Amino acid sequence: MELPIGMTVESGHPKDHVLRLNKSIYNLKQSSLNWFKLLSGVMQKKGRDFTPSQIDPWLFLKNECAVLTYVDDVLIIGKTEKDVQY
């Protein structure tokens, strides 16, 4: 990884510095955890009221609807089409 264009280093060689990422990047170990935290917050937000399963935290339940997530894939299941519409 190289320094972004326009960024200068006051002392030392540019390759001796470490950059901190503000956002997760696909294929990093923590990417799926960051995605899960974001998705979980949205699913449990007031008004949506999905509840994570006690057995599988990647499964969110609400009335007649189930939302199963795996890494960046989402499967939405409901009894009727109306149950799965946002």
Side-chain angles (χ1 to χ4, degrees), residues 4-75:
I5 297 172
M7 184 174 181
T8 58
V9 178
E10 293 184 23
S11 63
H13 193 271
K15 295 196 181 225
D16 295 333
H17 288 73
V18 176
L19 299 176
R20 181 176 180 192
L21 299 174
N22 291 328
K23 294 185 177 189
S24 61
I25 295 178
Y26 196 74
N27 289 336
L28 291 180
K29 288 182 182 181
Q30 65 270 29
S31 295
S32 60
L33 179 61
N34 289 346
W35 165 245
F36 175 73
K37 286 180 180 180
L38 176 69
L39 180 67
S40 182
V42 169
M43 295 298 284
Q44 296 178 58
K45 190 176 181 181
K46 192 171 186 168
R48 292 198 179 90
D49 301 323
F50 279 88
T51 306
S53 167
Q54 293 179 350
I55 297 169
D56 185 358
W58 293 88
L59 174 64
F60 295 92
L61 304 167
K62 177 182 175 182
N63 302 331
E64 300 291 329
C65 186
V67 178
L68 181 62
T69 60
Y70 180 75
V71 186
D72 61 351
D73 296 323
V74 179
L75 177 65

